Amino acid sequence: MRPLNIAIIGFGKIAADQHVPSIAGNDRLELVATVSRSGAGTARRFTSYGEMLEQVEGLDAVALTTPPTARYDIARACLERGLHVLLEKPPTVTLAEIHDLACIAETEQRTLFTTWHARHNAAVEAAAKALAGKRIAAMEIVWHEDVRKWHPGQQWIWEPGGFGVFDPGINALSIATAIFPGPLFVSQAMLSFPQDAQTAVAAEIDFTSPVADGRLHCSFDFRRSKGEEWTITVRTFEGEELRLTDGGGRLLIDSAEQACEGLGEYPDIYRKFVQLIDERQSHVDVAPLRLVADCLLLGGRETVGPTPR
Amino acid sequence: MRPLNIAIIGFGKIAADQHVPSIAGNDRLELVATVSRSGAGTARRFTSYGEMLEQVEGLDAVALTTPPTARYDIARACLERGLHVLLEKPPTVTLAEIHDLACIAETEQRTLFTTWHARHNAAVEAAAKALAGKRIAAMEIVWHEDVRKWHPGQQWIWEPGGFGVFDPGINALSIATAIFPGPLFVSQAMLSFPQDAQTAVAAEIDFTSPVADGRLHCSFDFRRSKGEEWTITVRTFEGEELRLTDGGGRLLIDSAEQACEGLGEYPDIYRKFVQLIDERQSHVDVAPLRLVADCLLLGGRETVGPTPR
């Protein structure tokens, strides 16, 4: 069987560090081209995706790692040329765009895959299995980090559409929606906007769920000055405590570390992409982005001090 | 054929003025009960929906006209009891809730109908037919009204989840998404928040669409002091101008008034509800609410003077 020819469109740090080696490590895939306006890349390099689509023959699929605002037009053009499309998270900036792409993928009978990399940790899958069918007594999400350390110089994060603290926070929501054994609804949210920013620096969110009785709470904060914490703790009605730490990398059940062996986030993403293409299926899950939108629909706002510098 | 027995849950002004006479005028429906915490209503009156569901035998359907925050729990309970459910606009406060209700309706094989009353004007249907398949050169939505005149004493509109100017504005979006011959994507938005409110008093929104080349713009404003304007003007690539005025009530094509005869908004809503039940179909369209969410995901924010009083 000849490998699937794939191109990466948008060639930044995440493409170089994660996508390229994961494609190289998958014997069903062959990276044939990359596109970047700066000219960076590997394999055949292009500075325009239109040119790449014209010139590369036998292309089967593309991975889109551009900033989210650019993705709709590119994804639409690729689907309409009969290519399978993988989207980095978040899939698009707006919910209307990803909805339309899903319709186009169905019409064109191509695979569209909205990836949420944090979900592809083996510990996350193990947590989902452990919680399946359980009734939940409490959940606490803590996603605190220093924006100066993790997003140095990323001014776009404070601009309209930049997501602010929801840029890392959506990773937490992608895990929570994957492991929680029922739907999650935002019941209340308070968003803190710096006086000099258009996006939130912190958010406190409460959820409800038909499968839960107690407090389901989430805290996002960009103002941490020492270290970072990315944990999700879930207590079941029977008293069992699951704790995902390190952004979904480790699972503890009642304080006992669980052995979770997997391919790793991005190799598992590409394993799944190939599987979806083989099965002629799409996987379009907007739940994490929808929860961010629901926080904004329902949330209160407060103005706080300037963005951390 | 025996009529479908229906109850109204939530009995405010819109229920009394619109839902009751529209049900009375439809010979396939019989209003058998109403529920209101205040005790207001007609037919058999209840103050709790749980009591009503227990005591009324042979119920087929419910119409939910409570404030949107209460709807998810009630709609879920009704669907799980095998009832067909009609939701006033907006269907729920969050997108996650209406998504889940759609899943439940499918599982239970019951009809779920998200109504957008402004769409049920005959002029809106005529505009949609006139624009079908056309390429669009421009759209201008103006939805300006005096909040003091149209929402007197409605303090909830300024609270988190109260939608602010999007409460009437979502009617404009429900018409625009019904008549526009392709998808609409928010490309830019500026929301004006009064210093003493949690929701916007005005919004300027730009859209893009794969079927349009020119400016697609929308202006919502609650600060109008004289009269009101609820108009949508669309110019096609061929130069034809469609103008919906009076909130979708009248259609002018190239300034010529079009004769549009229909049942009227709410009678047409109930005609459609009966048809959906007969065909064992649901109609769940979240596009207007999704566009509001997209405005919040992508929009910039500015603080303006106090809420009009």
Side-chain angles (χ1 to χ4, degrees), chain A residues 72 76 93-97 99-100 160-161 163 183-186 193 198 210 290 292-294 296-301, chain B residues 72 76 93-97 99-100 160-161 163 183-186 193 198 210 290 292-294 296-301:
Chain A
Y72 172 80
R76 181 186 175 99
V93 181
T94 68
L95 287 160
E97 287 171 317
H99 174 76
D100 195 56
F163 283 94
L184 283 169
F185 306 125
V186 178
F193 287 84
Q198 292 286 351
R290 194 165 53 207
V292 174
D294 286 345
L296 293 163
L297 277 172
L298 199 60
R301 288 169 178 76
Chain B
Y72 173 80
R76 182 186 174 98
V93 181
T94 68
L95 287 160
E97 288 170 316
H99 175 76
D100 195 55
F163 283 95
L184 282 169
F185 307 124
V186 177
F193 288 83
Q198 291 287 352
R290 194 166 53 207
V292 174
D294 286 345
L296 293 163
L297 277 172
L298 198 60
R301 289 168 177 75

Side-chain angles (χ1 to χ4, degrees), chain A:
Chain A
M1 200 188 300
R2 95 164 163 79
L4 296 161
N5 291 332
I6 188 168
I8 298 175
I9 301 179
F11 202 88
K13 188 168 162 48
I14 195 83
D17 291 355
Q18 301 291 349
H19 291 263
V20 170
S22 300
I23 291 169
N26 188 314
D27 59 14
R28 292 288 310 284
L29 294 169
E30 183 164 345
L31 181 63
V32 294
T34 58
V35 181
S36 168
R37 279 189 294 188
S38 73
T42 180
R44 285 181 69 182
R45 298 181 196 186
F46 294 86
T47 54
S48 123
Y49 76 89
E51 226 168 82
M52 187 275 289
L53 293 177
E54 291 297 330
Q55 295 185 22
V56 174
E57 281 175 30
L59 192 63
D60 299 295
V62 293
L64 265 60
T65 63
T66 66
T69 40
R71 292 199 196 134
Y72 172 80
D73 286 340
I74 304 174
R76 181 186 175 99
C78 292
L79 288 168
E80 291 181 345
R81 289 183 86 101
L83 303 178
H84 307 292
V85 174
L86 177 155
L87 299 171
E88 252 296 345
K89 71 99 200 176
T92 49
V93 181
T94 68
L95 287 160
E97 287 171 317
I98 184 60
H99 174 76
D100 195 56
L101 290 179
C103 296
I104 295 169
E106 200 175 328
T107 304
E108 302 288 338
Q109 297 192 51
R110 295 293 108 179
T111 294
L112 179 65
F113 183 21
T114 57
T115 65
W116 301 98
H117 62 79
R119 286 185 178 172
H120 290 265
N121 283 288
V124 172
E125 201 184 326
K129 276 186 186 154
L131 291 173
K134 300 268 172 76
R135 192 143 189 96
I136 303 302
M139 176 171 71
E140 180 71 38
I141 300 174
V142 178
W143 226 255
H144 292 183
E145 64 187 52
D146 186 343
V147 67
R148 292 164 298 190
K149 175 177 172 185
W150 291 95
H151 303 269
Q154 292 182 16
Q155 180 55 28
W156 60 266
I157 217 163
W158 304 114
E159 304 294 339
F163 283 94
V165 77
F166 288 102
D167 179 73
I170 205 168
N171 295 330
L173 298 176
S174 78
I175 296 174
T177 48
I179 68 172
F180 210 78
L184 283 169
F185 306 125
V186 178
S187 61
Q188 198 169 294
M190 178 51 75
L191 313 184
S192 304
F193 287 84
Q195 58 200 49
D196 58 344
Q198 292 286 351
T199 56
V201 71
E204 298 292 318
I205 307 158
D206 289 307
F207 300 98
T208 59
S209 174
V211 302
D213 300 296
R215 186 172 190 239
L216 311 177
H217 180 256
C218 173
S219 176
F220 294 154
D221 206 321
F222 253 164
R223 296 166 300 186
R224 182 103 168 197
S225 58
K226 257 170 90 179
E228 46 272 332
E229 182 177 352
W230 298 304
T231 59
I232 300 179
T233 312
V234 182
R235 196 156 45 75
T236 67
F237 191 70
E238 289 81 19
E240 198 178 32
E241 188 194 84
L242 276 87
R243 194 170 162 78
L244 278 166
T245 68
D246 300 12
R250 291 173 59 202
L251 173 64
L252 293 91
I253 298 184
D254 291 336
S255 303
E257 176 109 30
Q258 308 293 304
C260 301
E261 288 295 316
L263 296 176
E265 290 186 356
Y266 282 83
D268 195 59
I269 282 174
Y270 281 96
R271 175 201 61 74
K272 172 90 173 172
F273 189 38
V274 168
Q275 183 189 331
L276 288 168
I277 293 170
D278 285 347
E279 294 172 349
R280 299 174 174 274
Q281 297 281 330
S282 281
H283 181 81
V284 179
D285 187 346
V286 303
L289 183 58
R290 194 165 53 207
L291 283 182
V292 174
D294 286 345
C295 289
L296 293 163
L297 277 172
L298 199 60
R301 288 169 178 76
E302 60 171 12
T303 303
V304 295
T307 54
R309 282 179 202 281

